[in-house]
Amino acid sequence: MTKMKFESPDMTAQNIDRIAALFPNCITEMLDEEHSTPEKKVYKRAVNFDLLKQMLSPDVVDGDEAYEFTWVGKKAAIVEANKPIRKTLRPCVAESKDWDTTENLYIEGDNLEVLKLLQESYLGKVKMIYIDPPYNTGNDFIYADDFMRSQEEENAQMGMYDEDENRLFKNTDTNGRFHSDWCSVIYSRLMLARGLLADTGLIFVSIDDCELTNMRRICDEVFGETNFVDTIIWKKRYGGGAKEKWLVSLQEYVLVYCKNAALLGELYVPLTKDSIERYYQKKDENYATRGGYRTHPLEATKSMDARANLVYPIPAPDGSEIWPKRQWLWSKDRAYEALVKGELEIYQGNDGSWQVATKQYLRDADGTERLGKMFSIIENIYTQHGTNEMISLMGNAKIFPFPKPSSFVKQLLPLASDKDSIVLDFFSGSATTAHAVMQLNAEDGGHRKFIMVQLPEPCDEASEAYKAGYKNICEIGKERIRRAGDKIKSESPMTTQDLDIGFRVLKLDDSNMKDVYYAPDDYDQGMLAGLESNIKDDRTDLDLLFGCLIDWGLPLSLPYKSEQLGGCTVHTYNDGDLIACFDANIPESVVKEIAQRKPLRAVFRDSGFASSPEKINVFEIFKLYMPEDAGDISKRVRVM
C-alpha cells in the first residue's frame, strides 16, 4: 500500500522526467554527493546539458565530445537529424499497384530525408518498425550524410555516385572512421524513427556481431535504457562453417525496444500448433484440463541466494497463510499484483498442503486462440529460406543475395502490431517486410499497412539483377511486392479477395517551389517573367497535392478524387480533410462551392488569383459559409 508523502513535489525530478520524455539520450547518471558516503557511492539521474544544448541547436556546439558513449561526428549527426530540408515526395502512379485503393506506401529516396518528411504525417502513428540496416562489413554502401567527410575528400577517396548524382561511399575497414561513420548513419535515423513510433509501439533492429554492442548503446540513448525489451537470437543457419576463421557462427540478433515501457503491457502472441506441442503441452500433462495454460512453482530453488524480502505469506482460499519452505521467486508486490490479476494458481498438493504456481501462456477469452510469450530464440527459420523464397518469386537467388525470409519478419509482427496498424521499414532492401505484412494479413484477416523506404542504389552492371533488367534496388523491391501479393492471393483466392496487395510509389525530390538565388538588383525583366509562377514548371497537380499533404501532416495513403467545377480541377482528399484547386484564374463561384463543402483544410495556388484583393476575398467567402469557424479560417485556408 502506498503511503502519503506529506511533502511538496520534487520539481527538479519532474523537470528531468519531462526532459527524459523528449530527449531520452540526454539523461545520464552522476554522483549523489548528498547521500553518498566514503563506504558507499550513490548515484542519481541527471541531465547531460552539453548534449541537451546540442539537441536544441542547429549548429555544432563547441566543446569536447565527452559523453559516456561518443564517437567522432556524433554531435554533427544530431545536427543532421534536426536540420530542416526543402524536399518533397512526388507520386509515381505508373510504377504503383492499385494506386486508388491501396493504403500501402513504397518510398524511394534517402531514408534520412524521407523520415524527416514523414514526421508530421505519421508522428506517433507507427506501431512497429523493423529495420535490417547495412551491416558494417567493410563493403556495404553507407549514405553520404553531411556529418561525414567534405565533398572534396569524399570524391577523391571514393568517387561514387548513384544515378541521381547522389554521393555514396563504401565504408571499408581501412577507413579511419570505420565505426564512427556507421554509428552516425544509424544514430540520426533512429532519432527520427523514434518520433514516428506510437507510445505502445516497438522497434526491431537486426544486427550481427560486428556492431551489436554499438547498436545496443545507440538504442539505449535514443529510446532510453528502461525501454529495452530484449535481444532476440536468430539461429540463421544449421551447419556450414568451412570459411569461418574461429568458431562456426550460427546466429544474428534482433534488438527490441519500445517507445514507452510504462504503457507497453504484456506481449502475448498467438501460439501455433507446433509451438504448443513442442514447448507447452509436453511439459505439463494437465495442460488441456487446466484450461490452456501451464504452471510453474512460485517456490524458489536452492540455487537462488537467500533474500529476506522474498519470504512473506500468501493468502490461501480457506483464509490461512501459505509460507514458502525457503522463499518465493517474486517480490511481495509482484506476487500480490499477480494474485489480483488471476495470474497465480493456488491448489492443494497430494499431502493436502497449499501450493502456489504461476500461470503461463494463457488462452484468449473466447477459448479459440491460445496466446503465449514468444521465446527470445528463433529457430527453424534459416537464411536459406529467404534465398529459396527469392528463387520462387524472382527466378534467381542472385538478384538479391541473402534476403531475410518473410517468415522471420512475420514471426515478429504479432509482437508489436495489431490487425490494423502501420508497419515501417526504412531499410527496405528486397521488401521482405512488405511480403511478411501481406502474408500475415492473408492468414489472420488483418489490415496492417506497410511503409517501405529504400534508397535507389544502382545495381552493378555485372550483377545478375542488372542483367535481369533491374537498374536499382527499388525496382527489385517493387517487383517482389507485386509477385508476392499475386502469389498470396492465388494460393487462397476465397479468403483474400479484399487483401490489399497494392502500394503507392512516392519518390523523394527537390521542393515543388522555385528557388530564389538572386538579390533584387540582379533580376532582369526575363527573370521576373519566369517567376510569375512560384511553382516549378515540371510539377503536376498530383505533385502539388501530395506536397500539401506532407506540409499539413496528413497521411499519404488515403483516398481522393478529382472533379471539374466551373472549368477548374478540384481535388478532394479523404472526403474533405483537404480540398485543393491549383488552376489559374479561379472564379469566385468555384471558391464558393469549395467553401460550402466545409473542408477541414483548403489550398489554392498563389498565382490562381489576379490580385491580392481577390486572395483576401477567398478568406471572406470561407468565413461567410463557415461562420462557426471564422476565427480559425486563416489557419485552414492557405495559398502556395
Side-chain angles (χ1 to χ4, degrees):
M1 184 176 294
T2 303
K3 296 182 179 180
M4 298 184 69
K5 296 181 179 180
F6 295 110
E7 62 182 22
S8 63
D10 185 341
M11 299 304 294
T12 298
Q14 290 187 6
N15 288 333
I16 292 176
D17 287 340
R18 294 187 183 100
I19 293 174
L22 294 172
F23 308 106
N25 58 324
C26 295
I27 302 302
T28 184
E29 291 180 348
M30 64 181 295
L31 184 67
D32 187 343
E33 297 180 351
E34 181 180 352
H35 297 96
S36 293
T37 64
E39 295 77 22
K40 183 179 180 181
K41 303 295 184 183
V42 178
Y43 294 88
K44 63 182 179 181
R45 204 165 59 145
V47 177
N48 185 324
F49 289 101
D50 288 339
L51 196 57
L52 180 60
K53 285 192 293 184
Q54 184 60 74
M55 291 294 292
L56 300 174
S57 172
D59 302 306
V60 175
V61 176
D62 293 335
D64 295 330
E65 294 180 328
Y67 190 53
E68 286 82 350
F69 174 52
T70 191
W71 60 88
V72 177
K74 181 178 181 180
K75 288 185 178 180
I78 295 172
V79 171
E80 185 68 19
N82 292 332
K83 186 187 299 180
I85 58 172
R86 287 179 56 82
K87 295 289 184 80
T88 191
L89 297 176
R90 298 182 66 183
C92 185
V93 179
E95 297 180 26
S96 304
K97 181 173 183 177
D98 302 332
W99 172 274
D100 290 331
T101 58
T102 185
E103 294 185 75
N104 301 316
L105 299 177
Y106 189 98
I107 305 176
E108 298 186 25
D110 185 329
N111 53 17
L112 181 70
E113 296 180 324
V114 172
L115 289 171
K116 290 182 180 182
L117 293 178
L118 297 181
Q119 287 300 305
E120 293 295 331
S121 297
Y122 294 94
L123 185 69
K125 295 179 181 178
V126 176
K127 196 66 183 295
M128 172 177 171
I129 298 175
Y130 171 78
I131 58 171
D132 183 15
Y135 294 170
N136 202 9
T137 63
N139 293 304
D140 295 305
F141 279 111
I142 300 294
Y143 297 27
D145 298 331
D146 290 344
F147 49 71
M148 297 177 184
R149 303 167 185 79
S150 69
Q151 183 169 358
E152 292 76 14
E153 291 174 322
E154 199 159 311
N155 290 347
Q157 191 166 22
M158 300 297 174
M160 298 192 67
Y161 296 84
D162 68 10
E163 59 186 7
D164 296 319
E165 297 301 313
N166 295 314
R167 291 175 290 128
L168 299 169
F169 77 95
K170 285 188 176 182
N171 192 36
T172 63
D173 50 14
T174 58
N175 170 19
R177 289 166 55 177
F178 178 66
H179 291 288
S180 293
D181 285 345
W182 186 89
C183 287
S184 292
V185 166
I186 297 300
Y187 194 84
S188 56
R189 286 158 175 80
L190 288 181
M191 284 178 59
L192 293 167
R194 182 181 180 273
L196 300 178
L197 203 59
D199 286 340
T200 55
L202 292 175
I203 181 169
F204 300 80
V205 183
S206 280
I207 197 65
D208 67 353
D209 287 292
C210 179
E211 297 289 359
L212 174 63
T213 302
N214 285 338
M215 182 66 90
R216 173 73 190 268
R217 297 176 76 179
I218 287 173
C219 289
D220 280 347
E221 282 200 10
V222 173
F223 298 99
E225 289 184 52
T226 58
N227 292 321
F228 170 69
V229 175
D230 212 326
T231 300
I232 296 174
I233 300 172
W234 175 38
K235 185 181 177 183
K236 65 178 181 179
R237 59 181 180 176
Y238 45 81
K243 297 181 181 179
E244 301 288 353
K245 186 175 182 180
W246 290 298
L247 303 182
V248 179
S249 179
L250 300 179
Q251 79 284 345
E252 288 184 8
Y253 310 92
V254 181
L255 295 178
V256 187
Y257 283 79
C258 62
K259 178 71 169 288
N260 189 335
L263 302 176
L264 186 59
E266 301 269 20
L267 295 180
Y268 285 108
V269 297
L271 297 178
T272 64
K273 182 176 182 294
D274 177 66
S275 63
I276 292 172
E277 291 178 350
R278 287 180 63 205
Y279 298 115
Y280 308 132
Q281 284 182 309
K282 290 184 179 180
K283 292 184 179 181
D284 192 334
E285 294 179 356
N286 298 320
Y287 179 90
T289 59
R290 187 175 281 120
Y293 60 84
R294 58 183 287 255
T295 61
H296 188 281
L298 190 62
E299 177 77 40
T301 62
K302 293 181 179 179
S303 61
M304 187 176 179
D305 293 336
R307 300 180 187 175
N309 66 310
L310 300 181
V311 180
Y312 53 86
I314 292 177
D318 61 4
S320 63
E321 292 183 336
I322 309 171
W323 287 85
K325 294 183 177 66
R326 185 168 173 269
Q327 63 186 23
W328 302 119
L329 282 170
W330 292 353
S331 68
K332 184 175 181 179
D333 288 344
R334 184 180 178 189
Y336 276 53
E337 181 182 358
L339 188 64
V340 171
K341 291 182 177 180
E343 295 171 355
L344 292 183
E345 181 172 275
I346 300 177
Y347 60 96
Q348 286 183 302
N350 295 331
D351 61 357
S353 63
W354 289 107
Q355 307 292 322
V356 183
T358 62
K359 295 180 182 179
Q360 296 176 315
Y361 316 112
L362 303 179
R363 178 180 293 176
D364 201 7
D366 61 7
T368 61
E369 186 177 38
R370 291 175 180 174
L371 304 178
K373 298 288 183 67
M374 178 177 163
F375 286 89
S376 62
I377 298 178
I378 294 179
E379 302 177 274
N380 300 320
I381 299 176
Y382 302 111
T383 301
Q384 186 61 42
H385 293 151
T387 300
N388 294 341
E389 202 166 48
M390 190 59 69
I391 294 173
S392 174
L393 288 172
M394 312 296 284
N396 189 337
K398 295 182 180 179
I399 286 179
F400 194 97
F402 308 114
K404 290 288 190 297
S406 63
S407 56
F408 173 76
V409 179
K410 183 164 72 75
Q411 189 161 334
L412 303 175
L413 284 168
L415 273 173
S417 65
D418 54 43
K419 293 185 178 182
D420 195 39
S421 54
I422 298 173
V423 179
L424 168 67
D425 184 344
F426 54 88
F427 284 101
S428 173
S430 68
T432 294
T433 301
H435 187 169
V437 168
M438 293 187 296
Q439 184 66 55
L440 186 58
N441 282 342
E443 293 175 7
D444 68 4
H447 298 88
R448 301 169 187 85
K449 282 79 68 175
F450 63 74
I451 302 175
M452 300 293 105
V453 183
Q454 176 60 44
L455 180 77
E457 300 174 28
C459 297
D460 190 292
E461 293 187 10
S463 68
E464 292 293 323
Y466 191 88
K467 293 175 183 177
Y470 301 104
K471 294 182 180 179
N472 59 56
I473 290 179
C474 291
E475 292 185 1
I476 298 173
K478 289 179 289 188
E479 184 61 20
R480 181 198 179 154
I481 299 174
R482 294 186 191 100
R483 297 188 184 193
D486 290 340
K487 185 172 185 290
I488 291 168
K489 294 197 82 166
S490 67
E491 291 173 343
S492 305
M494 299 302 294
T495 59
T496 59
Q497 295 178 2
D498 298 326
L499 181 66
D500 185 357
I501 59 172
F503 54 92
R504 286 182 177 177
V505 175
L506 304 171
K507 297 188 178 184
L508 183 71
D509 206 339
D510 292 329
S511 169
N512 293 319
M513 315 307 289
K514 290 180 179 177
D515 298 316
V516 178
Y517 294 109
Y518 301 96
D521 293 343
D522 295 330
Y523 283 98
D524 57 30
Q525 192 61 38
M527 292 178 181
L528 292 174
L531 290 177
E532 288 179 359
S533 172
N534 59 340
I535 297 171
K536 292 176 180 175
D537 297 334
D538 64 337
R539 302 306 159 101
T540 66
D541 272 19
L542 204 54
D543 291 329
L544 302 181
L545 176 64
F546 273 76
C548 292
L549 298 180
I550 294 169
D551 194 58
W552 237 314
L554 292 172
L556 306 178
S557 59
L558 300 179
Y560 67 93
K561 65 178 181 179
S562 301
E563 60 185 314
Q564 292 295 312
L565 289 178
C568 296
T569 302
V570 175
H571 310 276
T572 302
Y573 194 78
N574 198 36
D575 292 329
D577 282 356
L578 171 68
I579 296 182
C581 181
F582 304 115
D583 286 3
N585 301 316
I586 303 171
E588 185 175 298
S589 59
V590 173
V591 177
K592 288 182 178 179
E593 175 62 28
I594 294 174
Q596 285 176 342
R597 297 182 181 183
K598 298 185 177 182
L600 294 177
R601 306 164 186 85
V603 64
F604 302 93
R605 195 165 177 159
D606 189 48
S607 58
F609 305 98
S611 63
S612 294
E614 288 190 13
K615 280 188 281 188
I616 295 173
N617 189 46
V618 170
F619 293 96
E620 297 305 317
I621 291 173
F622 271 83
K623 289 179 181 179
L624 177 65
Y625 287 97
M626 301 168 63
E628 67 278 8
D629 299 309
D632 200 35
I633 290 299
S634 61
K635 297 179 182 178
R636 294 169 58 175
V637 180
R638 297 181 184 175
V639 294
M640 61 179 300

